[in-house]
Amino acid sequence: KLFCSLSLPLLGPQPSISNSEGDLLFLLDSSGSVSYYEFSRVKEFMWDLVHPFTFGPKDVQTSIIHISTTPTMEFPFDRYLSSGTLQQAIRDTQQLMGDTNTGKALSYAKEKLFSDEAGARPDVPKVLVWVTDGFSTDDISEPMQLLKDMGVTVFIVSTGRGNYLELSAAASQPPEKHLHFVDVDDLPIITKELRDAILDVIQANRLHAVDITSSSFRLTWPKLLSQETGYYTLEYAPIDDLARKRTKQVSGAHTSLLLSNLAPETTYEVALIPESNVHYFPPQTTRVTTLAEEISPAQVLISESAPHSFHVSWAPTLDSVISYQILYGPLPGNSVKLLEVDGKSNSTVVENLAPNTTYLVTVTAVYKSGKEKSLSAKACTQEGE
């Protein structure tokens, strides 16, 4: 056993998610089988799920349909196009009580997801998130299949026991990506995973950025060309200084490109121009904001593990850091020891450890501003005396 390592993400503000067009519909169990407490927790979860998105006619639009005796739309897709108004609308949503007629609500959802009067848009991805206690008084299989046949991606979050076979058949495939069973108090555990999965659906056919840091991001786009049929021109510039535009060309075989040496906390305007010798493809554009330097994604690596020691290293080292504190202790347990190293260092050796033991190691960067950011990893010492 040389070492084991599990990095946990640095905590920092969520970057906003823009240039992601999609209609997102929540199917909310508002029936009498749900307690007031459960209903309020689900509303919190819905807001946590969507708040990093940018809302608008070229971004995400969202709506809520209640499952009750008769399905009811809380608000249409195009009513709330700012984060603040949508948050208030979700907060003001009242439980209707009544029966759990989910099949009826699904049929109603099918109409609204594709209707102009409900503010839905043609030719944008459609996502349904059904939050349920796992119980329905009518059949869901046929209306759910109709929705999926029309191209809707269905995510199901069951906060009750629910019938696994029935729900896994109802969710989009594969169920391990689209179906979650979770206690109502543990909904925050799945928020990021579900949001990322929704984002994958919405962004599947668009230019977008992933792996955003303070100085770089990776652009990905759908496969439009091949090596033989053309190439891509990528143009990017800070939006407040478009004269500093830079251009790159990549072969038609590529579907991604890493842009580096960027300025922190800067919004870039990016355009992808497919230069095809067969078809015309319109340019795709997106805006990407790099992170602040202090919340640059970092990593903690454990190496050179021995029975009584291991080597801890981290990245990046920043001029704004005055020191690093390394807390370490065996798992499970409460005994923790502290090592402090200079802000210019990026590694240290932790000694006097017990053999064949798993330790939790937390590296905290202490900034000149007084802020602190932490990252943790698990480390295993080797067997031996």
Side-chain angles (χ1 to χ4, degrees), residues 45-67:
F45 166 68
M46 285 160 51
W47 170 243
D48 288 345
L49 193 64
V50 300
H51 83 261
F53 289 112
T54 303
F55 303 98
K58 291 289 182 188
D59 288 288
V60 169
Q61 294 186 169
T62 193
S63 173
I64 295 173
I65 287 176
H66 292 268
I67 300 169

Side-chain angles (χ1 to χ4, degrees), residues 56-263:
K58 291 289 182 188
D59 288 288
V60 169
Q61 294 186 169
T62 193
S63 173
I64 295 173
I65 287 176
H66 292 268
I67 300 169
S68 183
T69 306
T70 304
T72 305
M73 178 176 274
E74 179 70 20
F75 49 81
F77 289 101
D78 55 357
R79 178 166 299 166
Y80 299 110
L81 302 181
S82 75
S83 205
T85 56
L86 179 63
Q87 181 180 23
Q88 192 58 50
I90 291 173
R91 196 175 280 155
D92 291 344
T93 299
Q94 299 294 312
Q95 190 172 355
L96 300 184
M97 308 307 281
D99 295 331
T100 316
N101 288 333
T102 309
K104 273 189 185 175
L106 287 166
S107 299
Y108 183 72
K110 180 171 72 74
E111 292 169 28
K112 299 306 175 189
L113 261 167
F114 297 93
S115 108
D116 291 344
E117 53 155 339
R121 296 161 292 178
D123 308 322
V124 304
K126 310 286 186 186
V127 176
L128 176 74
V129 177
W130 172 27
V131 187
T132 174
D133 63 1
F135 173 75
S136 177
T137 48
D138 60 352
D139 177 62
I140 65 164
S141 54
E142 189 179 341
M144 189 65 93
Q145 192 57 51
L146 283 171
L147 273 169
K148 290 189 287 187
D149 289 347
M150 293 176 79
V152 178
T153 302
V154 177
F155 293 93
I156 301 175
V157 178
S158 176
T159 59
R161 291 186 180 157
N163 179 319
Y164 176 78
L165 290 176
E166 182 182 55
L167 293 179
S168 59
S172 290
Q173 298 301 305
E176 56 269 21
K177 190 174 176 182
H178 297 89
L179 173 60
H180 295 273
F181 281 86
V182 61
D183 186 82
V184 74
D185 286 318
D186 294 330
L187 283 166
I189 292 170
I190 66 163
T191 302
K192 184 179 186 305
E193 184 185 344
L194 180 55
R195 185 192 301 127
D196 289 347
I198 291 168
L199 201 53
D200 285 345
V201 174
I202 290 173
Q203 293 186 329
N205 294 308
R206 285 189 60 83
L207 171 71
H208 64 281
V210 295
D211 302 335
I212 301 169
T213 76
S214 60
S215 61
S216 67
F217 51 78
R218 178 171 291 281
L219 294 165
T220 73
W221 58 87
K223 185 169 177 58
L224 303 172
L225 308 175
S226 66
Q227 186 89 34
E228 296 73 37
T229 60
Y231 61 92
Y232 298 99
T233 299
L234 265 156
E235 299 176 348
Y236 60 104
I239 58 167
D240 56 0
D241 191 1
L242 294 173
R244 284 173 50 207
K245 181 172 79 175
R246 286 182 264 178
T247 303
K248 289 182 181 284
Q249 287 188 346
V250 293
S251 124
H254 284 73
T255 56
S256 80
L257 178 70
L258 181 69
L259 298 183
S260 52
N261 300 316
L262 306 174

Side-chain angles (χ1 to χ4, degrees), residues 343-383:
K344 294 182 176 59
S345 303
N346 73 338
S347 67
T348 190
V349 176
V350 180
E351 298 177 307
N352 302 319
L353 304 173
N356 196 24
T357 301
T358 301
Y359 285 82
L360 181 66
V361 182
T362 300
V363 178
T364 300
V366 181
Y367 292 91
K368 291 170 184 169
S369 65
K371 289 183 182 175
E372 295 184 1
K373 303 288 176 195
S374 298
L375 190 69
S376 297
K378 285 181 183 173
C380 309
T381 51
Q382 291 187 342
E383 295 178 13

Side-chain angles (χ1 to χ4, degrees), residues 17 117 301 311 313 371 375:
I17 301 166
E117 53 155 339
L301 295 173
H311 189 258
S313 56
K371 289 183 182 175
L375 190 69

